[in-house]
Amino acid sequence: MPAVSKGDGMRGLAVFISDIRNCKSKEAEIKRINKELANIRSKFKGDKALDGYSKKKYVCKLLFIFLLGHDIDFGHMEAVNLLSSNKYTEKQIGYLFISVLVNSNSELIRLINNAIKNDLSSRNPTFMCLALHCIANVGSREMAEAFASEIPRILVAGDTMDSVKQSAALCLLRLYKTSPDLVLMGEWTSRVVHLLNDQHMGVVTAAISLITCLSQKNPDEFKTCVSLAVSRLSRIVSSASTDLQDYTYYFVPAPWLSCKLLRLLQCYPPPEDGAVKGRLVECLETILNKAQEPPKSKKVQHSNAKNAILFEAISLIIHYDSEPNLLVRACNQLGQFLQHRETNLRYLALESMCTLASSEFSHEAVKTHIETVINALKTERDVSVRQRAADLLYAMCDRSNAKQIVAEMLSYLETADYSIREEMVLKVAILAEKYAVDYSWYVDTILNLIRIAGDYVSEEVWYRVIQIVINRDDVQGYAAKTVFEALQAPACHENMVKVGGYILGEFGNLIAGDPRSSPLVQFNLLHSKFHLCSVPTRALLLSAYIKFINLFPETKATIQEVLRCDSQIRNSDVELQQRAVEYLKLSSIASTDVLATVLEEMPPFPERESSILAKLKKKKGPGAVSVTELEDSKREGGELNGGGDRGPDTSAMSASNASTPSPSADLLGIRSSAPAGTAPASAGNLLVDVFSEAGPAAPSAAVNDDGFLRFVCKNNGVLFENQLLQIGIKSEYRQNLGRMYLFYGNKTSVQFASFTTSVSCPGELQSQLNVQTKQVEPLVEGGAQIQQVLNIECLTDFSDAPLLNIKFRYGGALQNLTLKLPVTINKFFQPTEMSSHDFFQRWKQLSQPQQEAQKIFKANHSMDTEVLKAKLLGLGTALLDNVDPNPENYVCAGVIQTKGQQVGCLLRLEPNAQAQMYRLTLRCSKDSVSRRLCELLAEQF
Amino acid sequence: MMRFLLLFSRQGKLRLQKWFTPIPEREKKKIIREMTTMVLARQPRSCNFLHWKDLKIIYKRYASLYFCLAIENHENELLALEVIHRYVELLDKYFGNVCELDIIFNFEKAYFILDEFLLGGEIQETSKQIVNRCIESSDMLQETMEEYMSKPAF
């Protein structure tokens, strides 16, 4: 029994905790916990009313068990009871349990809210704080509904204690974040803003979080906070380190409040009022000056707090981006930190400098630190610091230093940590392209990339180099020569083979004059890699070969022989076999002219944003994006980046290309429609796909309801499938609620871009069915499957079906698909068992003509009893035996649960096996339901 | 704002978890696993900051315990370190030379102290004196010793 228990220590709890700690194994622990759970359960269930103390102790034990990671399914009620205890510690434990364990949709929420309401109006500040903490901790919509109007009052009331004000401010912030629509500040706005002037620093510290959040959302209404914030900041900055008593933290006056004030100011542009602005600039200068003063303490807490303010001030300076003097000073300060002995400071300096690099005023100043940053990249022990250094090099790169930075990054790549290699590769590829003065340097760089880090070179990168080579005829010869040389290496990366195959297939003729790289030598070189490559690469090589036949008729015989050999023409891979067969045929029957047209050089690609950049943006958080965007906007003045300086002839070519499919894709059209796999025939498509955002937009497809009726009697299966996409469904329903999982499978090997789905309820369905879902990720990788969950609530009975619209880009073209979602009224059935007597009594009760719906129809499917039974069970009703006097007939009963009402339904299905006909009769307490069920079911049998 | 605070031992045993936004239990367990493996794998004397998804993870080791705080992207890392430190100071002041066992056996107190210091993922009160006064006065509100002794023991 340890003597660590403090305060009102609950002995039983301490004993239990030490028991658990003494358990030698997980099993023993579980056993001990189960024993305890049984004990607590019996105590709670026992006849003897438990006193408050015992209740508190047991609730606390339950909490401990839950926090150990075990499920707790009782005790909530006892915890709620504790809330209304007038003993503080019991109430406190009650609230703690509720905060940790009660989720927002708990049925107990009304009881909890009641207890909270009592405590809020108790005028006892400790109770009020407990209640406010609980609201802030749970922060559910129900609580917002109950208290959002009450809390602002508490916050600004003159007689509210400071501690309560603090809790109220943050509680309100929490509710505002969950339910902004319910928190109406209107009349309170100015009084809340004036909390910035409150005498109590704690109140200001709490209130400013609220004010900052509100200012971000409604900057105009809260504008007045700027001048108040500046004067408060100015008072803190100029105060001596002892003035603020306990709000001075290790000799730094009010670091938390200072940072919050600086952060609040970042919601606004620089103050327009000259005096306010002057005062603020003074503050910022003082903060920068203080950084140069000797530290008042050697403790790391002192320097952390001081530098926290400094970094926040620098953020504000960067945000304003209008004071060259301050920007340069900030940059110099960060420069000092780059060599600081504290790793944390070096890390933050690198990170902060990234944003400074994008300001025109400080870009040059940042560049002066290039050597230090390169050194950091090479020598930092911590990979996350190296990562920041790489980011900064990327951000400070421009035409003047691109060659140096790219070279450094390349050499770092050789030893770089695996975790950052892919990103480094993307960055190098982007910089090389963006700042390429001569494209031979670009080609060299990318080929080096593939050589050094081939595994991390994503498709985007090698597609891009091919695109650029194809679009720029000044570099084609050089590219052909370089890849030819690179392929000489005894072991080269498969990506190199891909690039090599593609480029030699297009431009091999440009180096064929040299006997050392004669057509046959080129071919033999490529073919020597063939057998080591994967299927997609081999497919690409086969296309390179057929292109060779066109470029160099003298290789025809050799290549035909290769194509003809069994390992090609009888290859077990369908794609390879088909290519071999078709290419062989093409080369033997087509005339030279036809061959030349079919195998013409690839037309230039339409220019668009580099997909590599897009990929990098996706990889990095929003922070990094803003950096690259800034750079993008900076470079408008005509970087050498394809787009700007494309000649008229190429644009004409790409225009004609847009209207007709690319020649090779057309003829090699192995599969006429999209699923292109990895073929070079489709490599054309792939490239177009990867680089294009705007393809020809497919007209909105008509609603597809093929799958719809198949799901009336079942919940899981494949709803839709075409060559590109498969959509699977799993669904479950309970009462009037349902959950549907949609699985979107990309059947191709190519990524779907801009993948969006939306669910809509047309017409009056909107008021009948509530369907909610979250947006899915916009990219679906080739072969990948993503999942989407729909939450469905049936408000009242309905006849229409919700529509699912899917849009994505594949092969440059927008795919647009609308499907009927199989949410049908019968999904909300609860089966009802009843006797024959009851059934017919109810049947008679539902005798009004409009309550009945009947249909006689021909059997479309097997009339086998078991099949029929399975379908009727799948319908969701209870299948009643021994009810109908005729044993051949089927009768079912169920209740449809909607939010508003329950609809009783009876069903009778009378098969006539001889005539292969059915008669279906439905009687429901609501006539629209009878009709709808009848329509749905008539298609099922 | 802060998103969550985790305390775990060098062996990866979770000692305290505080979530400032609602997260499903399963997700919590996943995050806890990820955080413990990620932080425990760090070399000594590395920097105290990590990027994780769209959050920043700030961690620091005090004796046998790791404190791991997740903050949103625009928040201040250094200040977050001091949030951790201030919490440690508050625990220390309350328990007197706080150790891991104090937090295990008085976990509810650790939560109460945290609630006085941070609320809804934001700083509520930075003054050590005020927070401590608050906690001590709530301790005063508990039952008298006599009441306590007359309780059944187990």
Side-chain angles (χ1 to χ4, degrees), chain A residues 399 433-439 472 638-645:
Chain A
R399 189 77 56 74
E433 179 186 339
K434 200 158 136 188
Y435 299 115
V437 180
D438 64 297
Y439 275 86
R472 305 199 57 93
E639 295 292 342
L640 245 174
N641 179 21
D645 56 346

Side-chain angles (χ1 to χ4, degrees), chain B residues 8 10 39 44 48 59-67 84:
Chain B
F8 46 83
R10 270 162 63 194
V39 169
N48 296 85
Y59 71 93
K60 186 156 184 183
R61 185 177 148 185
Y62 286 87
S64 59
L65 267 189
Y66 281 90
F67 289 67
I84 293 176

Side-chain angles (χ1 to χ4, degrees), chain A residues 452-473:
Chain A
I452 295 168
D455 283 341
Y456 297 88
V457 172
S458 57
E459 295 193 321
E460 284 86 351
V461 173
W462 78 261
Y463 292 166
R464 188 71 181 165
V465 68
I466 284 175
Q467 185 200 20
I468 285 177
V469 169
I470 287 190
N471 285 14
R472 305 199 57 93
D473 42 21

